[in-house]
Amino acid sequence: MKTPGRWSALSAALLALPPLLTGVNNPDIFWHLSAGRRMAETGALIRADFLSWTLAGEPWTNFEWLVQLIYHFLYSAGGWTALFLLKTVLLAACLFPLWRILRLHGREGWAPAALPFFSLALLPMSDLRPDNFSILCFMLLLWRLEVLRLSGKPPSPRQTACGAAFFAVWANLHPGCLFGLVLAGLYGAGAVMELKGRGWREWAALVAVCAAALLLNPNGAELYRVILRHQAEMPLLKAEIAEWAAPDITVPYQAPGIILMAAALIALLRSVARRRMPPAAHILVLAFFGWSAASHSRNLLFSTAAAVSFIPPLLPPAASGLRSFAAQTAAVLAAFGFAWSPAKPDFTLPHGSLFSAPPTGAFLRGNAGDLSGLRLFNTWNWGAWLGYETGPAGYRLFADGRYLFHPLLSEFAAARENPSAWLAMKAKYGPQLAVLPPGRERRLEKSRLKNGATAWLVRPGYEDFFPREEWAVVFWDLRLAVFVRRSALPEFRLNSMELRYLRPGEEGNALTLARAGMAPLPVLRDEARRLLLYQDASPASSAPLLKAWLDELESACAEPGASCG
């Protein structure tokens, strides 16, 4: 490489790092941790659901078992920092095979643009997830296939054996190995086309042996059955889960991947117009993975890997010198401003904070003797955390993000928007305990106070789903609220737990009622004390709010005309 040489390569890698340093906040990480903990404790692989009461004992093809064990041991040893480092190293390692592909074609001068654009395109999958292993495996495979294509030779027996070993490991990490198999098949088809049929036996043997190697996992051919199940459920997944929907260029963190795919198409057409036919393998790979990504954004992961690898060979060598480097860097910074800056607040939250509520977890564990035997209802995104935090205390969740619960998605969606649909769901499953975000919906109702005055009191939207006469609020923090069905506990026990006044979203009501003499001060102070008992220093803690509320309570009751008692 010419000037700026190695400094340019290092600078390109450093420019690519920020999007890879996103926080660890994938809600599914918790059921992966639960599975890893279970396997470590029992010394056996998981074959059936053990986390829920709705599908307890149902067969579960746990095809990411090896990743889950890795997660468990790293988390046990180093907490969120260890998991963050794992994710960052896996994603950063993807830059190396991309760099090698650029060097194969003498296009390393495009690295200052290619590497950072690729890291931006990884944003949709830059959280901690088993897919991190798949994108690294995909990039490594792409590099070695490109080396093989450029050699003009068919795969050797040694290369076929190495491929089989590679796919056998990949099959125990993540089902993205199937995309790797497609990639190998498309490269083989392209090579056979260009060699006019020569080498087809060797390429066919490579693909067949690698396909057989995918069966070297504890679930065997069940891996294929689960993929087919996902395809059958695709309309539902697209409608209810954002990452399964079609890509949307107006979503900032998806835009780089879409732009890279468009740029690849333009570069292909430009090359053809100049009578320089791109390699058949490149055309086949871009066509298939472009079609795959168009169906749902989750597959942008693989299509952009191919696009960013194949675009530079279709371009002239980048001009050497600082001017070219500066121009590419300016383009990258503009892309960062468009894609990374809007996404940064959502991607840089403290590790594990987005879908965890330690105060609620502490409350549930502390009251497991009364609550763990109740039929628990939870929302989709919170099931994994609840299973990990409260499963050892005997709680069994309603649902989480595993494919087993996909059939419940439509019921969740309807119940979330429509109280009548929630009534039907409640009648069907009979939940006795509910742990879920209370929501921000509010409405005002005019009420007459004990002293004859009128006041506008807040009525939270959750009362439409959990009416006071049927459900009691027993705990809340800034993320979750805990509701207990009144018929589920003995009256004396429920009375000792219920929050009658200091309910989520009704703190202002409690002050108004206290001043009017309609909420006894000892009861209010006791409710605040019980809530504070389980609070901590986490982002979910309501301790600052509660302490400020207690100060406000004392001030309100000291005002002239207050009837606090």
Side-chain angles (χ1 to χ4, degrees), residues 225-442:
R225 184 187 64 80
V226 173
I227 298 301
L228 291 175
R229 172 173 173 167
H230 276 68
Q231 292 303 314
E233 296 171 338
M234 196 55 65
L236 179 62
L237 299 181
K238 285 185 175 183
E240 302 300 335
I241 302 179
E243 68 182 36
W244 289 102
D248 184 352
I249 198 167
T250 65
V251 178
Y253 59 84
Q254 290 184 11
I258 298 171
I259 291 170
L260 278 174
M261 287 304 302
L265 177 60
I266 293 170
L268 277 176
L269 294 175
R270 176 179 178 272
S271 183
V272 171
R274 296 189 173 192
R275 303 183 184 278
R276 289 171 38 218
M277 184 60 64
H282 291 191
I283 295 174
L284 293 173
V285 168
L286 287 173
F288 173 82
F289 286 101
W291 165 80
S292 177
S295 62
H296 50 267
S297 59
R298 189 184 180 101
N299 287 350
L300 275 173
L301 184 71
F302 302 104
S303 64
T304 54
V308 76
S309 300
F310 297 161
I311 292 173
L314 297 174
L315 301 176
S320 62
L322 290 175
R323 181 177 297 179
S324 172
F325 175 78
Q328 292 186 57
T329 302
V332 167
L333 293 177
F336 270 48
F338 177 75
W340 174 231
S341 296
K344 187 176 179 180
D346 295 329
F347 283 94
T348 54
L349 294 169
H351 304 312
S353 67
L354 191 57
F355 288 99
S356 63
T360 293
F363 171 80
L364 291 172
R365 292 191 299 273
N367 292 274
D370 293 302
L371 303 178
S372 65
L374 303 183
R375 292 188 294 274
L376 167 66
F377 178 82
N378 60 269
T379 52
W380 184 267
N381 282 342
W382 283 94
W385 176 81
L386 282 167
Y388 186 73
E389 287 292 320
T390 67
Y395 290 88
R396 293 296 175 263
L397 53 90
F398 183 82
D400 58 27
R402 288 173 291 161
Y403 75 87
L404 294 174
F405 298 99
H406 286 169
L408 293 177
L409 280 169
S410 56
E411 288 185 84
F412 267 113
R416 185 172 59 242
E417 304 295 335
N418 189 338
S420 62
W422 160 242
L423 290 176
M425 197 173 187
K426 184 172 64 173
K428 180 178 179 180
Y429 296 103
Q432 301 166 306
L433 173 69
V435 183
L436 69 173
R440 298 180 180 275
E441 295 80 6
R442 303 283 190 273

Side-chain angles (χ1 to χ4, degrees), residues 89-114:
V89 168
L90 289 172
L91 293 176
C94 294
L95 301 176
F96 175 73
L98 174 57
W99 165 251
R100 297 293 295 185
I101 292 171
L102 295 178
R103 289 198 65 185
L104 283 174
H105 296 278
R107 297 296 189 271
E108 57 267 44
W110 288 105

